[in-house]
Amino acid sequence: MVNGEMVTLVKSLKMRIDPPIPIIGSTVFELIPANPILRPVRFRGSWVWQKSPAPTLIPQNQPLTLRFDQSNAQDSSIWLTRGKEKGLPATLVAVHASQTWMSDSKNGIAYLIDGALFFRSIGK
């Protein structure tokens, strides 16, 4: 238990070293990077990271018709949409692709073009 007591001691020391959080509404100083001065402002609370909800992206294969003068060509394409309804905006990912896979976290898409595997990251 010597190790456990040491960990508890280190945790308690860390808690004593951290500065106390100011009271909400009290005056604190803010550093302005563009003009290196300190200005007094009211403390609005600790910073909280807010995670924005990721849109649900759906890969959709769709035939594509290419026309030039009197020539027509048919090919497959992959589009990313935010839903299955018609009329929603979409983003073209690839032309001449045969298969598509979305990552579990919806931040990447993989697809095959002529047997070669391609990957594109989505978002950050």
Side-chain angles (χ1 to χ4, degrees), residues 48-56 124:
V48 178
W49 285 99
Q50 294 181 351
K51 199 171 194 181
S52 61
T56 54
K124 298 179 182 177

Side-chain angles (χ1 to χ4, degrees), residues 24-68:
I24 294 177
S26 64
T27 303
V28 294
F29 289 98
E30 174 184 53
L31 176 65
I32 303 171
N35 187 7
I37 61 168
L38 291 173
R39 70 174 183 172
V41 294
R42 299 275 179 209
F43 183 66
R44 293 183 284 185
S46 299
W47 177 261
V48 178
W49 285 99
Q50 294 181 351
K51 199 171 194 181
S52 61
T56 54
L57 299 173
I58 302 168
Q60 293 188 358
N61 293 346
Q62 186 170 354
L64 184 68
T65 304
L66 305 170
R67 293 186 178 100
F68 183 76

